[in-house]
Amino acid sequence: MIQKIITNKCPNCGKGHVYKEKNIYFNFKKPKMNKECDHCGYVFEKEPGFFFGAMYVSYALGIAEAIAVFIIGTFFFESTFDLRILPWIIITILAFSSFNVRIARIIWIYLLKGI
Ligand SMILES: [Zn+2]
């Protein structure tokens, strides 16, 4: 399932794609989604504002990444709360921001399909 999420696959058939663009990782353009699966016709956006909740997934991912950088940073800096880690956290969040927005929507589709 994680493999399907990171490869931008439809939660229903696992063959169609959620996003029109192939590069969903480092792409800072506006995300272009398919309205429905091009293979099985599964509708991704159930209702207007369906992806509002995906924002929270995106925040959670951003926080998880910040914590990961922070933990890695503690191996490189002498004190645990060294402020020099902050720019690295910001760079990481910015670098992952486009990826987070896209992957969060896919995770959201998968989460709500499971309920
Ligand atoms: Zn499908």
Side-chain angles (χ1 to χ4, degrees):
M1 182 168 140
I2 288 164
Q3 199 193 349
K4 277 207 234 164
I5 291 175
I6 59 172
T7 53
N8 176 31
K9 290 286 199 296
C10 165
N12 196 43
C13 65
K15 291 198 173 102
H17 293 93
V18 177
Y19 285 100
K20 285 182 180 139
E21 61 247 279
K22 289 222 164 65
N23 173 16
I24 64 162
Y25 298 105
F26 289 96
N27 187 335
F28 290 89
K29 285 182 227 147
K30 201 170 181 284
K32 283 195 207 90
M33 295 186 78
N34 291 314
K35 280 202 174 62
E36 54 193 34
C37 175
D38 51 22
H39 190 262
C40 70
Y42 182 79
V43 179
F44 297 129
E45 188 167 4
K46 296 282 172 213
E47 60 212 352
F50 176 74
F51 291 112
F52 185 75
M55 268 177 20
Y56 296 105
V57 178
S58 175
Y59 285 143
L61 288 170
I63 290 164
E65 286 150 12
I67 291 169
V69 173
F70 180 78
I71 290 167
I72 294 164
T74 58
F75 293 107
F76 293 95
F77 296 110
E78 284 167 22
S79 63
T80 311
F81 290 99
D82 195 316
L83 285 177
R84 282 175 294 174
I85 192 71
L86 272 178
W88 291 104
I89 291 175
I90 292 163
I91 289 166
T92 305
I93 290 174
L94 288 176
F96 278 99
S97 62
S98 70
F99 168 72
N100 285 351
V101 165
R102 284 175 172 79
I103 209 81
R105 286 185 174 197
I106 300 176
I107 292 169
W108 189 246
I109 293 168
Y110 276 75
L111 279 178
L112 271 80
K113 191 183 182 287
I115 295 167

